[in-house]
Amino acid sequence: MLRFKSLNSAGALTTLTYVGSTGDSNSTDVSPYSVSYHASARSGDLALAMFAMDQSAPTLSTPSGWTLVGNGNSAEYPRMYVFAKVLDSTDISTGSLTVTPSISEGFAALI
């Protein structure tokens, strides 16, 4: 998680501060994947969610309200996805991000 510390008079970001991260993984085939937000996350924090799957076949759809930053989809694995979102109060009350892959696979996630 990154926290916007200050904006200039034009509204442009001037400082970001690292807040923390959490992760989860499972080596067995599972679906969906879920990863909790860092305990100090709050509304307005920038969250970057990274998911890696242990085979090249599964795909992830962009979660509602999130932006796909990039993916490493190729014939090789692991398959990687990175999503970004400025968290709001609904995210904080939910406490985690859950995504459902196209097929059950082992995964690693960091947010």
Side-chain angles (χ1 to χ4, degrees), residues 17-64:
T17 299
Y18 174 74
V19 175
S21 62
T22 60
D24 194 10
S25 65
N26 196 321
S27 61
T28 60
D29 292 350
V30 296
S31 178
Y33 308 152
S34 186
V35 62
S36 297
Y37 300 123
H38 190 269
S40 64
R42 65 183 189 203
S43 186
D45 285 351
L46 173 63
L48 298 173
M50 292 155 269
F51 292 89
M53 294 159 289
D54 69 359
Q55 296 293 327
S56 61
T59 58
L60 288 179
S61 296
T62 303
S64 179

Side-chain angles (χ1 to χ4, degrees):
M1 302 281 177
L2 299 170
R3 185 157 296 142
F4 297 105
K5 292 300 266 187
S6 61
L7 301 175
N8 65 21
S9 61
L13 174 68
T14 58
T15 306
L16 277 178
T17 299
Y18 174 74
V19 175
S21 62
T22 60
D24 194 10
S25 65
N26 196 321
S27 61
T28 60
D29 292 350
V30 296
S31 178
Y33 308 152
S34 186
V35 62
S36 297
Y37 300 123
H38 190 269
S40 64
R42 65 183 189 203
S43 186
D45 285 351
L46 173 63
L48 298 173
M50 292 155 269
F51 292 89
M53 294 159 289
D54 69 359
Q55 296 293 327
S56 61
T59 58
L60 288 179
S61 296
T62 303
S64 179
W66 289 73
T67 299
L68 176 65
V69 176
N71 62 40
N73 294 343
S74 69
E76 301 299 319
Y77 59 85
R79 185 167 272 204
M80 304 273 305
Y81 286 84
V82 178
F83 303 104
K85 182 178 188 203
V86 175
L87 299 178
D88 59 31
S89 59
T90 302
D91 299 311
I92 301 305
S93 65
T94 302
S96 64
L97 171 63
T98 300
V99 296
T100 303
S102 58
I103 61 174
S104 294
E105 283 295 340
F107 77 99
L110 178 68
I111 192 166

